Each structure stands twice: as C-alpha cells, then as structure tokens.
Amino acid sequence: MLSSFYMNWQHVFKLDPDRPIGDEALHEVCMSGTDAILVGGSSGVTFDNTVDLLSRIRRYEVPCALELTDPDAAVPGFDGYFVPMVLNTPDSEWLIGRQAEALTGFGHLMPWDLMAGEAYLVLNADCTAARVSGAQADLSAEQAVAYAQLADRLMRVPVLYLEYSGAYGDMALVRSVRQSLQQAQLFYGGGIRTPEQAREAAQAAHTVVVGNVVYDDLQAALLTVPAVKSSAKEQDHVF
Ligand code: 1GP
C-alpha cells in the first residue's frame, strides 16, 4: 500500500537546509503545533546541510519529510519523502528525466512505502523553482485546472502542489483547482505572511505550506498555525 503520511496535514512549515536558522527559532517552529516540517529548497541543498537540519528537527516530535530534488541529498531517516515533478515545464528533465536518472540502479533501495509523488504547478514566474525548471508560470485558471485534472485523474498523483513561492497566489484559481480534484491532496504554498492569508489559503487548499516568513518574521509565521487550524475546524463544522 502506498504511503499517505501527509494525509492529515493542514499546516506545514517548509525549511530550507541552505538557509540558517537558530536553535531558538527552530524550537519555536517545531513546537508551534504545525502538522509537519517539510525540508526542501530549490538550490544549495546538499547531503550535509540536509543531515544537519534533520538531526536538529529530530529533537522534537513533529513529523518531518524531505522533498527529494537532488539524489545527492537523499538523506535516510525522514518520516516520508516527496518526489517533485514540475508539470508546467516544457523541459521533460524536470517532469520525469532527473527522477528516472536518479533511480537508475537504485530502485531496489528506495523506501517506496514512505514515498509520494508531488506534482508541482509553478505559478510565480519570479521564484527560483520557476527559473530553474523553466516553468511556464502564467497559466489561466482554466489551464491550471486542465493540468490538475491530468495529474489527478490520469497520472493519479497523490499530491498536487500549487507553488507561488514568494508571492501570495490567486485564491480563486486555487479554489477552482481544488474543486476539480477527485483524489489528489492539494498543497498551496506562497507568500503567506498574515493569519488572514493563512486562513484564506486553508479554505482554498487542503494543506497550507509556509516558508519564507519563518526566516523574515518568526512571530508572524507562528501565527499562521492557529489561523489554519481554526479555519480547518470551521470547515469541519460546515461540512
Ligand atoms: C515554498 O511553497 C513554499 O516552496 C512556501 O512559500 O516561502 O513564499 O512561504 P513561501
């Protein structure tokens, strides 16, 4: 059976192994009540900085998963692993090529029951993920829904990730994508800096990912946790 370690995640902090974070700040993040820490970054991720961050997070009980973007940084010991695939790039290297190359000769070693495919739609042209992967980020809502349906119904990916990293996204588009999904879990990430934005994103997507603000304004980052949790509770009440 395929893993679904991420299924109950409503709020996630994403930490980048290539960005320094002090012990106190990490303590606050890990004790914040978030559902998980997602470790990943678009550049500068190495085996050493990933091991270092994992071992520091492991002082806490919070679950911790890794986005495997570079096989050289495939560190064992995480609770789960995502394999990102960028859907809206013309360069098949970023959709499936690098992943196949990384697996060649290693497939029998992979902890498949701890792994999940993560289909990305990169929607902010200015973010590093868009620059690195050459993603065509200026999709209309209709186009985003088309990609989402392909990923959800034909590829049957477990996770679809709408990535606006660094910019707060178009929540109407996010809601349209969510409504179009039958089985995939929708992650939203990008530009969340306030409880209001966190709440709105939690109403639009299944899982809200908060990244940059951890490094710029820790107290603001921490406030996104109760905002997402209370919004999720309200929705439970309605449905
Ligand atoms: C980044 O989607 C995450 O990969 C979160 O985005 O850093 O803008 O919060 P921010």
Side-chain angles (χ1 to χ4, degrees), residues 1 15 18 58-60 68 80 82 91 100 103 109-110 142 165 174 188 194 208 215 218 229 236:
M1 182 140 112
L15 297 183
D18 195 34
R58 278 295 186 230
R59 294 175 198 155
Y60 304 92
L68 260 178
F82 290 107
D91 182 353
L103 267 181
L109 296 175
M110 302 305 287
E142 263 189 332
S165 181
V174 178
Y188 167 83
T194 67
V208 174
Y215 299 93
L218 178 62
K229 292 286 169 184
D236 277 355

Side-chain angles (χ1 to χ4, degrees), residues 1-7 9 38 65-69 79-85 99 110-120 155-161 183-185 187:
M1 182 140 112
L2 279 180
S3 169
S4 46
F5 55 87
Y6 50 83
M7 246 179 81
W9 294 359
L38 187 52
L66 177 67
E67 283 187 319
L68 260 178
T69 41
D79 298 307
Y81 296 86
F82 290 107
V83 177
M85 301 167 275
Q99 297 84 341
M110 302 305 287
W112 290 109
D113 54 342
L114 294 180
M115 294 178 69
E118 194 185 33
Y120 266 77
M155 298 165 79
R156 298 197 70 77
V157 296
V159 171
L160 178 69
Y161 193 135
Q183 59 81 36
Q185 184 162 334
F187 283 24

Side-chain angles (χ1 to χ4, degrees), residues 110-156:
M110 302 305 287
W112 290 109
D113 54 342
L114 294 180
M115 294 178 69
E118 194 185 33
Y120 266 77
L121 272 182
V122 182
L123 297 170
N124 172 14
D126 290 330
C127 72
T128 310
R131 280 195 296 275
V132 169
S133 68
Q136 292 172 337
D138 57 339
L139 300 183
S140 67
E142 263 189 332
Q143 289 171 314
V145 165
Y147 275 107
Q149 287 174 323
L150 274 169
D152 179 57
R153 301 188 195 187
L154 297 187
M155 298 165 79
R156 298 197 70 77

Side-chain angles (χ1 to χ4, degrees), residues 14 161 163 165-166 189-191 209-212:
K14 191 187 260 195
Y161 193 135
E163 174 65 288
S165 181
V209 183
V210 176
N212 276 305

Side-chain angles (χ1 to χ4, degrees), residues 11-25:
H11 181 284
V12 173
F13 278 125
K14 191 187 260 195
L15 297 183
D16 184 341
D18 195 34
R19 293 179 82 171
I21 182 165
D23 284 343
E24 264 175 45

